Amino acid sequence: MKKLINDPENVVTEALKGMELAYPDLIKVQYNPNFVMRADAPAKDKVALISGGGSGHEPMHGGFVGIGMLDAACPGAVFTSPTPDQIHAATTAVAGAKGALHIVKNYSGDVMNFELAAEMLRAEKIPVESVVIDDDVAVQDSTWTAGRRGVGATVLAEKLCGAAAEDGHPLGSLRELCKRINSQARSMGMALTSCTVPHVGKPTFDLPEDEMELGVGIHGEPGRKRTKLAAADEIVELLMEPIISDIPFKSGDEVLLFVNGLGGTPLIELFIIYRKAAEIAQRAGLKITRNLVGSYITSLEMAGTAITLLKLDDDLTRLWDSPVLAPALRKGI
Amino acid sequence: MKKLINDPENVVTEALKGMELAYPDLIKVQYNPNFVMRADAPAKDKVALISGGGSGHEPMHGGFVGIGMLDAACPGAVFTSPTPDQIHAATTAVAGAKGALHIVKNYSGDVMNFELAAEMLRAEKIPVESVVIDDDVAVQDSTWTAGRRGVGATVLAEKLCGAAAEDGHPLGSLRELCKRINSQARSMGMALTSCTVPHVGKPTFDLPEDEMELGVGIHGEPGRKRTKLAAADEIVELLMEPIISDIPFKSGDEVLLFVNGLGGTPLIELFIIYRKAAEIAQRAGLKITRNLVGSYITSLEMAGTAITLLKLDDDLTRLWDSPVLAPALRKGI
Amino acid sequence: MSSISAAIIEAWLRHCADLFVQHKDELTDLDAKIGDADHGANMARGFTAIPGKLDVLVDKSIGSLFRTCAMTLISQVGGASGPLYGTFFLQASRPADGKTTLSHQELCQCFDVGLTGVVNLGKAVLGDKTMIDALTPALAALHPKNADSLEDAVARAATAAREAADATIPLVARKGRASYLGGRSVGHKDPGAASSALLIAALAETLKRTA
Amino acid sequence: MSSISAAIIEAWLRHCADLFVQHKDELTDLDAKIGDADHGANMARGFTAIPGKLDVLVDKSIGSLFRTCAMTLISQVGGASGPLYGTFFLQASRPADGKTTLSHQELCQCFDVGLTGVVNLGKAVLGDKTMIDALTPALAALHPKNADSLEDAVARAATAAREAADATIPLVARKGRASYLGGRSVGHKDPGAASSALLIAALAETLKRTA
Ligand SMILES: Nc1ncnc2c1ncn2[C@@H]1O[C@H](COP(=O)(O)OP(=O)(O)O)[C@@H](O)[C@H]1O
Ligand SMILES: Nc1ncnc2c1ncn2[C@@H]1O[C@H](COP(=O)(O)OP(=O)(O)O)[C@@H](O)[C@H]1O
Ligand SMILES: [Mg+2]
Ligand SMILES: [Mg+2]
Ligand SMILES: [Mg+2]
Ligand SMILES: [Mg+2]
């Protein structure tokens, strides 16, 4: 295992410490239970937005805590959902009278831990709503699975709902907005390499030099299918087809195209991917009016990419353009 | 070789095409000769800032073209300096009456190609000055080498000079500012893995599972020394000591701490590095008043990190805080 | 023996800490195949936190022991297994409230309501390739048969759990992370079923030791 | 033969395109050891661009051939080798201006001013482990000796260049990227010296073929 770490057991707390030292103006970090919150918490006169999940997906979610995005983020152990204690502590630390929205990625663990936390919070009369993000079209048959995973749409939902929360939307309307974003977004990813969970010390799976995994999530798990390595353009076709045909997106739709790196993929490759994804979207008659290119939701040092398409409307576009100031996303401030 | 690319020969142009499609509001891309320029070029009433170098270092330099940073960037082939034609074309495309500053990283090839271009430009009566960045303390004995390499300080110089150019500084004062930034910055890097030049198809060097390269540059070249793999904290000590003792930085200095990823290193590791680097800087009495954490100057998919320290003063701090709007750096806009 | 004391329950929970540390890599390897390679670490992190909690626990009734175990797992583990095993012990603690011994029948009742809690939370059914697949036959086997001893019944339950965990190998996962793999989950043992088998094995070993 | 025609010079430059494509991987491998693994691609990119330029060239005097070669290398190669080889041919073109043959002596003069240009631009001295180390002894060997034929002299120069390139192996690099390696550059042949040896070898082969 080749990583810039110390004791594998300390990866999460040391990385949190690094974030704390790097962004004192934007965030505060609490330990035991671990969570990241806005420096100006608790939220005044706005709904608090809280998300969380396993660590290893940086900058998600801690990097999205800030003005116009999340109020708090709960990082679990690497690839392990946070505990209800963390979620409870984070929520009570940042939520004001207007309550809190939990943005939860659809993984059994995340859903259950957020559910337990929400029960605890409701017992304390803290108004809390949850929206589960499940945008991953790689998981095809949802009656026979834990349902589609939450991936790239989470980043977009956090940005857009963060802007709406800043605008003063009440809890119920934020929940509906978040659901709408989720219903209008689809994603799919692929991996060139596995990744190594620090305390495990060896790659989660082996992938020969000439093969790739199609339809991976963000936890180093194998994908739906292993196939021969292909050229970038072919890979993008394999990702875009199921995305576009799923909603389905249709000619004339305005969309946001998000090309994400999984952690070990350099930007030069993401631009090559973006080029082809944009071409395919245009070929399908979609108008790409907004975009995001970079490694925003990762799977440790996995090499690979994931593409997300979000159908926009004037409302979502305006929210996307609203100011945001978080460690990993900045605009207008 | 596992990369998200098509024909290795097309990597640079396809990535440029991706950038062009992704940031139409910010940049324009020209081909044959290749360069990236601000969408609102040519520069009016300001000195034009041009940089360039081999490709494979993304987002540098193309990602730094925009308001408050570069006016144009010239991407060569992967790890190969751009040609005088590119530099000449880029400079004439963006420079106005106030002339142009070339920010050149100190590599024989970069220096010579920019020199030839500057000669051509001067023959055409275009006022042009060059500053060579050479901040890499890993190259110790400069009388017996091509001199120290230009690495992390380049990003900082582009941001700071970009802000000053926007403020209307004339060419001579910008050149002096750039030299001062270079003289106040020091960097050092290390690699956990090699990287693969696309048209070569195999890693530039082999690095066993339990070894690392200390003092690498950004071209996949081996470093000054190969040693046993160490814990992150120890690695940071090995990088920080030569940096701090070189200027030397001294107690009470205000500094900008830049922790850079080399392309294949995930953010979670960079935060662990930042944590220790900040601790060491503080131990030395330095006050970290500004910072930058991320993969801004890379070596394809190399796993590793580089640290840069820049001594700040009120002037540089103000320039750092000035607005910037480029594909890879955004602040205040 | 036809009943079980709080002391044995405490010894069991403490023994689990050792057992899950011992089997950490094995569980992680199973999870690497069809999940995200953290099940070993999750179980070890959760159960090693328990002895410290028990050391300072005042009320050592079985209900209190189970509740402490539950709260520790819920607050330490995360993932899918944290809330699931936490719920198992939280629900199991209710019928054991204030009790310092449990009859064989009462123990069965505790575990049965525990399992119901897990099913309600996780919504998995038998055959979905989850811990349910090991717990369900194990708890069925635990019920007294021909007035045998509790010790024999627990041994029988442990065997049933182990065999049931092995029997998850040919199944297609339909809950949890492994379900994302679809048919590719076939051929691998479910890590949660394996940890459930260890949990019951730990009780069998504890009873044997103290016998 | 005691002079060289423009046709042979053109054939030489065209032959270089083939030779540098053939030796692309070899040069890249050398550069991977002590540089950045692009020298083979750089030389191939530069020289393969030349035939097309020559195809449409009207003035085929030697000066014009050299100048075309120079401008093509400068505009296509980049890196360190682009300006250096470009400068070599640009300077070499001056004494050859308008000429359609060069005497042995004149050829030496062209190359000598070419080399001076390279030294002025790159500021390397003999022993710095660069192309200078191959070009310097090669051009010394090229000068007429005992009134031998130009063909023999070029063959001698090619041998000298090849041997000199090999002789860079034990040296510590002091210019270019390899210099960053310090002592670690010892034990590897300089890629630029190797490409210089190929350049001269190409001339020798061309003369032999047309002889
Ligand atoms: N919905 C569910 N119902 C019952 N058991 C489940 C469910 N989801 C997952 N599991 C069990 O949890 C185990 C995985 O636990 P663990 O690896 O610790 O959590 P995670 O899947 O979040 O990484 C699976 O092997 C399975 O037995
Ligand atoms: N200053 C210099 N003077 C002479 N030759 C040099 C100089 N710097 C580099 N070279 C030559 O250039 C060669 C490297 O060329 P190349 O790999 O194409 O460019 P780069 O080093 O920019 O990647 C070296 O092997 C060396 O022979
Ligand atoms: Mg997990
Ligand atoms: Mg090069
Ligand atoms: Mg798991
Ligand atoms: Mg080179």
Side-chain angles (χ1 to χ4, degrees), chain B residues 99-277:
Chain B
L101 179 70
H102 288 172
I103 300 181
V104 184
K105 299 192 297 306
N106 191 33
Y107 300 95
S108 310
D110 290 46
V111 171
M112 288 188 281
N113 284 287
F114 270 96
E115 222 165 82
L116 293 183
E119 271 171 33
M120 292 158 69
L121 291 161
R122 285 198 197 97
E124 296 165 24
K125 306 271 179 282
I126 297 171
V128 53
E129 296 280 354
S130 303
V131 176
V132 174
I133 305 290
D134 60 348
D135 55 316
D136 186 356
V137 300
V139 181
Q140 284 156 336
D141 189 359
S142 57
T143 46
W144 295 111
T145 62
R148 289 179 163 176
R149 295 173 289 218
V151 284
T154 317
V155 178
L156 308 182
E158 291 175 3
K159 163 67 183 95
L160 297 165
C161 294
E166 218 72 54
D167 283 355
H169 281 233
L171 184 53
S173 114
L174 271 183
R175 182 197 54 214
E176 294 314 309
L177 173 68
C178 195
K179 281 188 183 170
R180 187 157 68 85
I181 293 162
N182 182 51
S183 74
Q184 293 180 191
R186 294 295 186 277
S187 303
M188 185 155 159
M190 60 76 59
L192 292 176
T193 64
S194 181
C195 59
T196 298
V197 175
H199 59 254
V200 177
K202 55 176 197 272
T204 302
F205 56 88
D206 288 315
L207 200 49
E209 258 300 297
D210 61 338
E211 290 183 6
M212 62 181 182
E213 286 277 344
L214 259 183
V216 296
I218 50 168
H219 297 83
E221 67 273 50
R224 289 290 291 188
K225 210 171 129 187
R226 182 170 290 196
T227 62
K228 283 282 157 211
L229 193 59
D233 284 2
E234 204 178 310
I235 289 171
V236 179
E237 298 272 8
L238 292 171
L239 298 180
M240 287 291 280
E241 196 282 322
I243 291 173
I244 292 182
S245 61
D246 194 85
I247 288 199
F249 289 90
K250 49 184 203 307
S251 190
D253 279 354
E254 294 198 347
V255 296
L256 183 154
L257 171 57
F258 171 24
V259 169
N260 180 55
L262 290 184
T265 287
L267 202 50
I268 189 170
E269 298 180 26
L270 296 184
F271 285 133
I272 292 175
I273 297 294
Y274 185 88
R275 174 194 129 274
K276 186 64 184 180

Side-chain angles (χ1 to χ4, degrees), chain D residues 31 36-39 42 177:
Chain D
D31 201 27
D36 58 352
D38 63 354
H39 191 55
N42 289 347
R177 274 179 209 297

Side-chain angles (χ1 to χ4, degrees), chain B residues 79-80 85 113 146 213 223-224, chain D residues 29 36 38 75 79 179-180 184:
Chain B
F79 292 167
T80 300
D85 296 52
N113 284 287
E213 286 277 344
R224 289 290 291 188
Chain D
D29 285 350
D36 58 352
D38 63 354
S75 72
S179 70
Y180 306 133
R184 290 180 79 186

Side-chain angles (χ1 to χ4, degrees), chain A residues 232-266:
Chain A
D233 284 2
E234 203 179 312
I235 290 171
V236 178
E237 298 272 7
L238 291 171
L239 298 180
M240 287 290 280
E241 196 281 322
I243 291 174
I244 291 183
S245 60
D246 195 85
I247 286 196
F249 289 90
K250 50 184 202 308
S251 190
D253 279 353
E254 295 199 346
V255 295
L256 184 154
L257 171 58
F258 171 24
V259 170
N260 180 56
L262 290 183
T265 287

